[in-house]
Amino acid sequence: MTTKELIAGIAQETGMRKADVARMLNATVEVTTHHLLEGHSVQIQNFGMLEVKTKNERAYVHPRTGVRSVVPEKRQISFKQNPALKEALNRK
Amino acid sequence: MTTKELIAGIAQETGMRKADVARMLNATVEVTTHHLLEGHSVQIQNFGMLEVKTKNERAYVHPRTGVRSVVPEKRQISFKQNPALKEALNRK
């Protein structure tokens, strides 16, 4: 599902204009990104939580050449689904 | 950041009423969840992609009792950040 399709779906669900939905979705991404970049997690009710995780630097050996190097520490965003969503995903 | 704070932030950013923002955020969660449950991924521009991943069933041995069991296959949602966000997170 593309962002365009998502916007159309939200507009249909709420009766709002697509332009307003797009503006709000952009603001959601902006506000969320801002907080994540500051290292804070963002909770989304009935859905889950986006959080920044730091992966430690680690040694890496190239499988073919045997050359050793260090993969630097990096931050990445991970999504933690809430329990209801987890259950819905795995209901038979 | 709680959902309430997120809504306040979006309202401030867009000049929209909090009630409208809350309604739209709920619809976003609903539409997104619906698509994820059907096994489709959802793309969010300038941010990333939410997708359903299936983890295969696997054998599990209890470390203390040695009892073997099978962890069943399960589906979970994973977030794939877009390259710009990844870079912003790791900019020094």
Side-chain angles (χ1 to χ4, degrees), chain B residues 66-82:
Chain B
V67 174
R68 287 165 174 278
S69 56
V70 173
V71 179
E73 176 184 291
K74 66 181 168 197
R75 297 202 299 169
Q76 64 183 38
I77 290 167
S78 96
F79 174 72
K80 197 178 169 196
Q81 60 202 348
N82 86 359

Side-chain angles (χ1 to χ4, degrees), chain A residues 1 3 13 30 75 90, chain B residues 13 30 41 43 75 90:
Chain A
M1 180 183 226
T3 305
E13 189 80 16
E30 251 176 65
R75 297 201 300 168
N90 291 290
Chain B
E13 188 80 15
E30 251 176 65
S41 61
Q43 187 89 44
R75 297 202 299 169
N90 292 290

Side-chain angles (χ1 to χ4, degrees), chain A residues 70-90:
Chain A
V70 173
V71 179
E73 176 183 291
K74 66 181 168 197
R75 297 201 300 168
Q76 64 182 39
I77 291 167
S78 98
F79 175 72
K80 197 178 169 196
Q81 59 203 349
N82 85 0
L85 183 54
K86 188 174 176 178
E87 205 238 288
L89 273 168
N90 291 290

Side-chain angles (χ1 to χ4, degrees), chain B residues 47-65:
Chain B
F47 195 58
M49 189 171 68
L50 288 159
E51 54 190 341
V52 180
K53 288 200 170 161
T54 302
K55 295 203 140 190
N56 292 334
E57 69 169 27
R58 60 187 172 82
Y60 171 76
V61 182
H62 190 287
R64 210 165 307 171
T65 64

